Amino acid sequence: MSLDRAPRRTLLAVGVLSAALTLSACGGDSNGKSGGGGNTNFVTNTGGISTAAKGERAATGKLAGETLDGKRLDVADLKGKVVVLNVWGSWCAPCRAEAPHFAKAAKDLKAQGVEFVGLNTRDPNKQPALAFEEDYGVTYPSLYDPQGELILFGFPKGTLSPQSIPSTVVLDKEGKIAARSLMALNEEKLKSMIEPLLKEK
């Protein structure tokens, strides 16, 4: 091993460790605590859904890249619509439990101006993820993020960011982070995050 490779490997290990600490696999805190640290203005109800008031919402960082089916997608292009971002992996049992609810809600709400985008993570290749989408009837696109880089850098520190798998973040029509859940959701809970944003002017 050459000396110049050693620091690179150390940096890679530190990066992977940071991502692992930031994003817990198949877990979530449903006891009503808000995340983000510091002096935040998040409100979390007892169902584990955190929200930010309209004037206190932050924009996401860059959430763009290649989808599982090889197309380019930039979430910023969806401004003007309510956007549901769902962090999932094909290996994650709670993700499998919530997938049929997301597939149905995506179809039901599309005509109302709601777009769903998956953030597929920790699948080392696309095949299991594509099989997952087929098995559960998921027709909306998913950005392929095997290393969790979009998740890590796409949500500014101190915001309602995804911190577990599955996580769901809902953006308002201005592209700002309005609501977050850190657990698997059924259709009713999912729609409870979306519907108030559809009524906003």
Side-chain angles (χ1 to χ4, degrees):
M1 177 174 72
S2 68
L3 290 176
D4 63 333
R5 285 190 180 179
R8 215 175 292 153
R9 284 187 179 177
T10 303
L11 284 172
L12 181 61
V14 169
V16 169
L17 180 60
S18 297
L21 291 172
T22 302
L23 199 64
S24 304
C26 274
D29 184 2
S30 59
N31 64 5
K33 294 179 183 174
S34 65
N39 185 19
T40 62
N41 294 310
F42 308 153
V43 176
T44 306
N45 68 23
T46 54
I49 295 170
S50 304
T51 59
K54 190 170 183 182
E56 297 166 354
R57 296 172 188 163
T60 66
K62 187 174 181 181
L63 291 169
E66 185 177 305
T67 62
L68 286 172
D69 59 1
K71 296 176 182 170
R72 295 290 302 170
L73 174 67
D74 188 340
V75 171
D77 293 338
L78 301 174
K79 274 188 184 174
K81 299 184 178 186
V82 172
V83 179
V84 179
L85 301 169
N86 179 242
V87 178
W88 65 279
S90 66
W91 43 268
C92 167
C95 301
R96 291 192 290 273
E98 73 176 4
H101 301 287
F102 277 72
K104 184 175 185 306
K107 288 174 185 169
D108 291 349
L109 296 170
K110 189 166 185 68
Q112 296 180 51
V114 179
E115 292 290 338
F116 280 63
V117 176
L119 296 172
N120 172 256
T121 191
R122 296 192 186 172
D123 274 313
N125 65 68
K126 293 181 178 181
Q127 288 315 117
L130 288 166
F132 176 104
E133 289 187 329
E134 188 174 343
D135 288 346
Y136 293 102
V138 176
T139 56
Y140 53 84
S142 282
L143 288 165
Y144 184 50
D145 189 25
Q147 303 301 322
E149 291 175 12
L150 291 176
I151 298 163
L152 197 58
F153 300 112
F155 298 88
K157 189 175 180 182
T159 66
L160 291 171
S161 59
Q163 296 174 2
S164 61
I165 305 168
S167 286
T168 301
V169 174
V170 183
L171 309 182
D172 65 17
K173 294 172 188 176
E174 297 175 3
K176 294 186 175 177
I177 303 167
R180 176 194 65 190
S181 171
L182 300 178
M183 60 186 179
L185 296 170
N186 61 26
E187 190 179 351
E188 181 184 357
K189 283 196 172 183
L190 177 58
K191 286 184 174 178
S192 78
M193 296 173 71
I194 299 165
E195 286 167 354
L197 300 175
L198 286 173
K199 294 172 186 171
E200 289 182 354
K201 299 295 182 189

